[in-house]
Amino acid sequence: QVQLVESGGGLVQPGGSLRLSCAASGTFFSINAMGWYRQAPGKQRELVAHIASGGSTKYADSVKGRFTISRDNAKNTVYLQMNSLKPEDTAVYYCNALIVVVTTRSYWGQGTQVTVSS
């Protein structure tokens, strides 16, 4: 059974930094694209950052220049380095990955809370 397990959320002051990690476990053939989404209270889930299997990235305009997505294919892990955090970054952050088992499926992590507050 394939699972995505996230870690690294927490409470941070405005201007601070956090690093989120998401590791895939289980039996699978390969991982294609990976990404981070977030959902704030009363809002729809939105894409934060995306990284393709080849390493190309894209970001939401609201986080460009502050967040960096990366992946370690040997560890089946994706990271989100978040700098210069703002209160509006407060949300539950979810990891997503397109994983090839027999066919390609989309998997989600359980979510990790990020709160930016003084």
Side-chain angles (χ1 to χ4, degrees), residues 39-63:
Q39 188 167 19
K43 294 188 176 181
Q44 289 189 332
R45 190 173 298 189
E46 62 175 357
L47 174 68
V48 175
H50 174 276
I51 184 165
S53 56
S56 61
T57 59
K58 66 177 181 181
Y59 296 91
D61 288 342
S62 59
V63 307

Side-chain angles (χ1 to χ4, degrees), residues 3-85:
Q3 283 189 314
L4 296 178
V5 179
E6 299 147 348
S7 60
L11 172 65
V12 64
Q13 292 187 340
S17 298
L18 282 175
R19 189 193 195 206
L20 306 182
S21 300
C22 171
S25 63
T27 302
F28 50 86
F29 180 69
S30 63
I31 302 176
N32 293 337
M34 305 183 83
W36 289 95
Y37 292 72
R38 67 186 181 187
Q39 188 167 19
K43 294 188 176 181
Q44 289 189 332
R45 190 173 298 189
E46 62 175 357
L47 174 68
V48 175
H50 174 276
I51 184 165
S53 56
S56 61
T57 59
K58 66 177 181 181
Y59 296 91
D61 288 342
S62 59
V63 307
K64 281 181 182 176
R66 299 188 298 122
F67 291 10
T68 302
I69 189 171
S70 61
R71 62 191 288 172
D72 184 334
N73 292 329
K75 296 181 179 180
N76 297 319
T77 300
V78 63
Y79 304 97
L80 186 67
Q81 178 66 44
M82 304 185 292
N83 299 328
S84 302
L85 283 160

